[in-house]
């Protein structure tokens, strides 16, 4: 086909063709709602959440939403030292609360009574000697400590009566007399009951006689009303070994009682007169406390030991019984109804005391004063300081 033929067809060339127009949309009839616009492209999906721990691949750009988001805050890190301190503080507070609870319960005692009135308990244990309140390492209290407890019980209005719990073979005459005098003052205001356990002899019986009533076990060792003064004479041994005593004194009787030489007749008379004086004081104290004739007490004395049953027959003990019987008797004498509550004087009665206190086995071991190290009984007598008296051959 020639160019003339193309011109005759009347079709415009390709570059001159009009642009295609979209088909006309028929107009909506008057009063009809407009048609909704055509839907647009779909919305982009939200960015995925931040996932910590994923490493960025090499050569790959970090997505913007990963950079913008921050990991959620975690719990602050606590130092191990702070944690240990907090645990120790909580444990300490727990022990304190537990100890206070035990101490409070021990003060209330046992029994159905709801009253605050109680029976005071004062313990005399071991050799009677001068000393203070005692403690964890110093052992049971001395005479001054016991006297202080007696004064506290006397001034405590809630303490209606007192039980003197005795387990002692005796001791110093002066210390025993001091406790006896304090008990007589207590008796002017309140009733006092002595409770003898294993042994209450010599000085132990001295202070028991200062109470209103005495309760003892049938097998308790008591009595031994007497005085002893003595030691070992080693003058003969020194002579055999060729030893001499070069002691120099100022005063004729200053060296009296030394074991390096026998006593003279004059020195022995002085010691005998001293023992007789203390012995008489002992007998008079027992006679006054027990309301007995001094002659009868002297007859029963003579340094003899009695069992609790024997002592009851001869009037040195009022009744046989144990600690609870003594507490019940004291409560009755003090006017307390029902089972009396008790209050211990001179004892902490807390957790530490229960574990290693004065009367616990652990406490004895730590103090080095267990039962195996205490003064043996050997027929308990009222002991005086051992001055080492010599013995004439």
């Amino acid at each position: 086909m020639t160019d003339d033929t193309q011109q005759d067809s009347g079709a415009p060339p390709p570059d001159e063709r009009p642009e295609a127009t979209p088909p006309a949309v028929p107009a909506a009839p008057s009063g009809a709602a407009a048609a909704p616009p055509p839907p647009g492209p779909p919305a982009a999906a939200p960015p995925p959440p931040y996932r910590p721990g994923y490493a960025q691949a090499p050569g790959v750009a970090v997505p913007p939403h990963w950079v913008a988001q921050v990991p959620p805050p975690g719990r602050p890190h606590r130092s191990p030292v702070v944690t240990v301190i907090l645990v120790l503080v909580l444990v300490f507070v727990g022990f304190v609360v537990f100890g206070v609870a035990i101490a409070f319960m021990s003060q209330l005692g046992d029994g159905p009574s709801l009253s605050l009135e109680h029976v005071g308990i004062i313990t005399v244990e071991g050799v009677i000697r001068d000393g203070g309140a005692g403690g964890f390492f110093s052992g049971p209290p001395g005479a001054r400590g016991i006297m202080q407890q007696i004064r506290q019980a006397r001034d405590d209005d809630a303490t209606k009566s007192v039980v003197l719990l005795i387990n002692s073979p005796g001791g110093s005459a002066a210390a025993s007399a001091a406790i006896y005098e304090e008990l007589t003052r207590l008796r002017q205001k309140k009733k006092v009951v002595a409770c003898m356990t294993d042994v209450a002899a010599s000085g132990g019986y001295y202070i028991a006689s200062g109470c209103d009533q005495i309760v003892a076990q049938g097998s308790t060792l008591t009595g031994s009303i007497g005085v002893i003064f003595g030691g070992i004479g080693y003058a003969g041994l020194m002579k055999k070994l060729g030893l001499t005593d070069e002691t120099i004194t100022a005063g004729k009787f200053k060296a009296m009682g030394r074991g390096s030489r026998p006593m003279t007749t004059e020195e022995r008379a002085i010691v005998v007169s001293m023992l007789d004086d203390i012995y008489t004081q002992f007998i008079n104290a027992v006679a006054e406390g027990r309301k007995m004739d001094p002659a009868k007490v002297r007859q029963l004395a003579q340094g003899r030991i009695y069992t609790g049953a024997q002592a009851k027959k001869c009037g040195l003990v009022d009744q046989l019984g144990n600690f609870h019987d003594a507490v019940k008797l004291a409560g009755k004498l003090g006017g307390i109804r029902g089972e009396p509550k008790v209050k211990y004087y001179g004892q902490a009665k807390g957790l530490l005391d229960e574990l290693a206190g004065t009367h616990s086995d652990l406490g004895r071991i730590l103090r080095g004063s267990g039962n195996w190290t205490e003064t043996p009984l050997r027929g308990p007598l009222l002991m005086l300081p051992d001055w080492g008296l010599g013995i004439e051959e």
Side-chain angles (χ1 to χ4, degrees):
M1 183 177 293
T2 60
D3 294 339
D4 296 337
T5 304
Q6 294 179 352
Q7 292 177 358
D8 293 341
S9 61
D15 295 338
E16 297 179 0
R17 291 179 182 178
E19 296 181 358
T21 57
V25 179
S30 177
Y50 175 78
R51 293 177 292 177
Y54 279 69
Q56 178 183 355
V60 178
V62 179
H65 61 271
W66 281 30
V67 177
Q69 294 189 9
V70 180
R75 298 182 61 182
H77 180 68
R78 183 177 295 166
S79 172
V81 177
V82 176
T83 303
V84 172
I85 293 177
L86 291 177
V87 171
L88 292 178
V89 169
L90 292 176
V91 172
F92 175 76
V93 172
F95 270 102
V96 170
V97 173
F98 186 60
V100 171
I102 291 180
F104 178 75
M105 294 175 62
S106 66
Q107 296 297 327
L108 294 180
D110 300 323
S113 176
L114 299 178
S115 174
L116 296 178
E117 299 175 348
H118 54 253
V119 173
I121 309 297
I122 298 176
T123 304
V124 179
E125 185 179 30
V127 176
I128 300 174
R129 71 201 191 287
D130 182 46
F136 184 76
F137 293 101
S138 58
R144 286 180 281 113
I146 296 172
M147 293 166 61
Q148 180 64 28
Q149 296 175 28
I150 295 174
R151 287 175 175 265
Q152 293 174 356
R154 183 184 63 188
D155 298 335
D156 190 350
D157 294 334
T159 301
K160 298 303 179 181
S161 56
V162 176
V163 170
L164 190 67
L165 186 61
I166 305 173
N167 184 19
S168 170
S172 165
S176 301
I179 297 175
Y180 177 92
E181 293 173 358
E182 203 64 41
L183 287 171
T184 57
R185 298 187 181 99
L186 175 61
R187 289 177 60 184
Q188 296 175 3
K189 189 174 181 180
K190 301 176 182 180
K191 296 295 184 179
V192 186
V193 176
C195 178
M196 300 178 176
T197 57
D198 295 333
V199 56
S202 193
Y205 186 79
Y206 197 142
I207 62 177
S209 64
C211 302
D212 295 286
Q213 295 282 319
I214 299 179
V215 178
Q217 294 284 145
S219 56
T220 298
L221 296 181
T222 185
S224 186
I225 304 173
V227 187
I228 187 173
F229 177 95
I232 299 176
Y234 45 88
L237 179 61
M238 291 180 62
K239 184 177 180 180
K240 290 181 180 179
L241 296 177
L243 302 176
T244 59
D245 185 8
E246 300 296 339
T247 302
I248 301 174
T249 63
K252 181 179 180 180
F253 302 106
K254 187 62 178 177
M256 180 180 66
R258 293 182 62 83
S260 58
R261 64 173 180 82
M263 292 179 61
T264 65
T265 303
E266 190 176 8
E267 290 172 345
R268 186 176 294 274
I270 293 174
V271 173
V272 170
S273 65
M274 181 178 63
L275 296 183
D276 285 340
D277 185 18
I278 299 176
Y279 184 47
T280 302
Q281 296 177 31
F282 194 170
I283 291 176
N284 292 336
V286 174
E288 180 182 0
R290 299 295 300 164
K291 296 179 174 57
M292 298 174 62
D293 184 8
K296 182 180 179 181
V297 176
R298 187 177 293 270
Q299 182 181 0
L300 294 172
Q302 305 302 319
R304 176 186 167 177
I305 303 173
Y306 298 88
T307 65
Q310 293 173 337
K312 184 178 182 300
K313 291 180 179 180
C314 62
L316 296 177
V317 169
D318 293 295
Q319 71 178 54
L320 300 181
N322 55 27
F323 171 73
H324 297 288
D325 297 324
V327 171
K328 187 175 181 180
L329 175 60
K332 182 179 179 180
L333 295 176
I336 300 177
R337 295 182 179 181
E339 188 73 16
K341 299 183 182 298
V342 298
K343 176 181 179 179
Y344 287 85
Y345 287 91
Q347 298 183 23
K349 298 303 292 180
L351 179 62
L352 181 61
D353 185 73
E354 293 293 335
L355 296 177
T358 301
H359 305 291
S360 66
D361 293 333
L362 178 59
R364 294 178 187 274
I365 294 174
L366 294 178
R367 291 193 311 270
S369 58
N371 289 327
W372 50 87
T373 63
E374 292 182 355
T375 304
L377 188 59
R378 294 185 303 178
L381 299 173
L382 183 64
M383 294 178 292
L384 289 173
D386 186 354
W387 292 348
L389 284 176
I391 303 176
E392 287 184 333
E393 297 179 355

